Amino acid sequence: MSARPPRATISDVIAPDFTTRPELTGTHAMVASTHWLATASGAAVLERGGNAFDAAVATGLVLHVVEPHLNGLGGDVPVIGCAAGGSPFVLSGQGTSPAAATPDAFTALGLDHVPGTGLLAAVVPGAFGTWMDLLARYGTWRASDVMAYAIGYARHGHPLLRQASATIGAVRDLFAAHWPTSAAVYLPGGEVPAPGTLLRNVALAETLERLAAVADRHADREAGIEAARAAFYEGFVAEEIGRFAASPVLDSTGAAHRGLLTADDLASWRVREEAPATVEFAGRTIAKTGPWGQGPALLQQLTLLDGMDLADTRPGSAELVHAVVEGAKLAFADRDAWYGDPDHADVPLEELLSPEYASQRRALVGATASDELRPGSPGGREPRLARRALEAEAASRSGAAASATRPTGVGEPTFQRASGAVPDAVDPRTGADGVARGDTCHLDVVDAAGNMVSVTPSGGWLQSSPVIPGLGFALPTRAQMFWVEQGLPSSLGPRRRPRTTLSPTLVLRDGRPEIACGTPGGDQQDQWQVPFLLNHLVYGMGLQEAIDAPTWHTTHLVSSFDPREVELRGLHAEERLGPDVLAGLRRRGHDVTVTGPWSLGRLTAVARRDGVLRAAATPRGMQAYAAGR
């Protein structure tokens, strides 16, 4: 940006001297997550002498238990962090597709896509192996100690969230008629548990207890961690997953299908450490995952904005929102055309993140809202979108795709209505009250030594795949993000990482970690983080003030989840932006959907500057919390 814009109030509701919650400051340690029990567990680890990485593992394992509609032990866990005095790192906690996941395997079933639920969409569950790797490489605690908090909540129960109860209610008929193993856990006594009642998952507690016991047989800490990992991926957990995946279950096609995942797929998978993708912005280095995730889309957005003359804009103004949205459309078009597992696709990431390419793309941002998907040509290469994406774009242009099918502020959809045997009300994204359902989780931790980590656990949702009996958790359905059509960077194939939406962020200043942040939200994760970073790094707001500020996102992109919709010119905006701003956006051609005043994004963040630690968490959803001293 060419100049620092003048500081301004967020809105008439939230002024600079008033935030929904205090921004925490201290010198010992800070943890923020999307559930207060997980935050408290991480804080307890820090109080007992654990470091940021120990606390992150304990926090994340608790999230698997207390937010079962948003993530699970069988899910996915991308990690970005930095040890004090070290270099930033990424752990690619995204499990790969089965060896048998070939296009022919789906076309033989008469399918041209990977269904959003059931067993066909299952990939290797990457969460547990990633937690163990993070603990072994950077932590100090034993495996059984970090598992203890999650074990306690699984065995003795946790007060069920209102949103979790609503999600269970939305899939009650499906569980009762077709997924009895899920009904056994989530419909105790055959009824939907009410919000606030204690929900127990004894099978999950026993699984974690067995893994902890395996680890405790070894006096050496790292040997114990490795033994627990092996028991999951090469032992009793993998064997049970392999058996269960071989049995057909109903999925969102309306038919029952066996899975492709085997015990051998789990045994062949290991998380690995990678260098992050980075760009320079506002005097900082912004670090994200590689193009097997959508993280570089945030980097592309910031690079586009960095060259715009936004000196006269104010936070939340129509001018700023328009510029951010139009940049997001271009970045996400590139995501959909170019991103994929770089082990199996030629992803031109260097060109996509270059200032020269950003300059070319910036020239496409006009005074009115664009009405087409416009991937670029990095290095002169011709872009290609999937056939189903182009069909969705055409349907949106013709008005054939009803906007009502895309719920307001949806995060990560996990079950779609299907014809045939699937009950009508099985979409947890939109319950009877019309409130969006389904999403994911996030956590950030920093300690006094300067260790910092950001993690976005997701997948293995209770509503996406049946509970595996004897294990107490469901499989991840991330393979729905592949295209069965071949020749694309994110085409389906054996042992590949699906191009995930999970996108934690690390911000460095002068080579040292300064901010860890992120949010649930599927395709919106790297949109909601942009105004937060602008508010904090450019407009000078504090962490909590920047999180509280009204936000927005575009749906002018190819949804990453089945049924892969497109909503051209779609813009969802919190009503706190104000009638003048919303009217100004409509005049610019945006198809504006006004959402509730506190409806979009679930950001959390921690920071470290000049020896002072900070933390903040969103009030949206009445669930996220920060703690520290």
Side-chain angles (χ1 to χ4, degrees), residues 236-450:
F236 76 95
V237 174
E239 292 167 2
E240 189 61 37
I241 287 174
R243 280 193 293 269
F244 185 72
S247 301
V249 300
L250 187 71
D251 59 36
S252 52
T253 66
H257 294 107
R258 294 179 176 84
L260 303 173
L261 192 67
T262 67
D264 286 342
D265 291 316
L266 273 76
S268 69
W269 183 83
R270 292 294 295 260
V271 66
R272 70 178 188 223
E273 184 171 313
E274 304 174 352
T278 63
V279 298
E280 301 301 308
F281 177 79
R284 274 81 166 180
T285 301
I286 316 296
K288 301 290 287 185
T289 70
W292 52 267
Q294 72 175 13
L298 181 136
L299 304 181
Q300 287 193 249
Q301 291 176 80
L302 294 180
T303 305
L304 279 165
L305 290 168
D306 200 35
M308 291 184 178
D309 184 8
L310 300 178
D312 295 330
T313 64
R314 292 177 177 269
S317 65
E319 294 79 10
L320 179 70
V321 175
H322 173 75
V324 171
V325 166
E326 292 304 296
K329 291 179 184 180
L330 295 171
F332 279 84
D334 280 342
R335 180 201 71 171
D336 294 329
W338 296 110
Y339 291 16
D341 186 346
D343 293 342
H344 298 273
D346 182 15
V347 182
L349 188 60
E350 184 176 353
E351 289 91 343
L352 288 166
L353 299 182
S354 70
E356 295 77 17
Y357 182 73
S359 179
Q360 297 171 18
R361 301 289 278 163
R362 194 179 301 116
L364 297 176
V365 175
T368 59
S370 63
D371 63 353
E372 61 181 327
L373 302 179
R374 297 185 291 178
S377 301
R381 311 180 194 197
E382 285 300 313
R384 176 184 165 192
L385 292 171
R387 183 188 69 256
R388 290 187 73 214
L390 295 173
E391 291 171 352
E393 179 187 20
S396 178
R397 181 167 289 108
S398 67
S403 61
T405 63
R406 183 186 286 275
T408 297
V410 67
E412 302 205 352
T414 54
F415 207 102
Q416 291 75 41
R417 289 182 175 86
S419 60
V422 181
D424 287 339
V426 294
D427 191 341
R429 297 176 295 172
T430 49
D433 58 0
V435 177
R437 307 288 184 230
D439 214 330
T440 186
C441 310
H442 187 76
L443 68 94
D444 304 296
V445 191
V446 61
D447 62 29

Side-chain angles (χ1 to χ4, degrees), residues 95-101 122-124 261 265 479 482 492-498:
T96 53
S97 55
V123 298
V124 172
L261 192 67
D265 291 316
F482 286 116
L492 177 71
R495 302 274 167 87
R496 296 183 185 182
R497 289 174 286 185

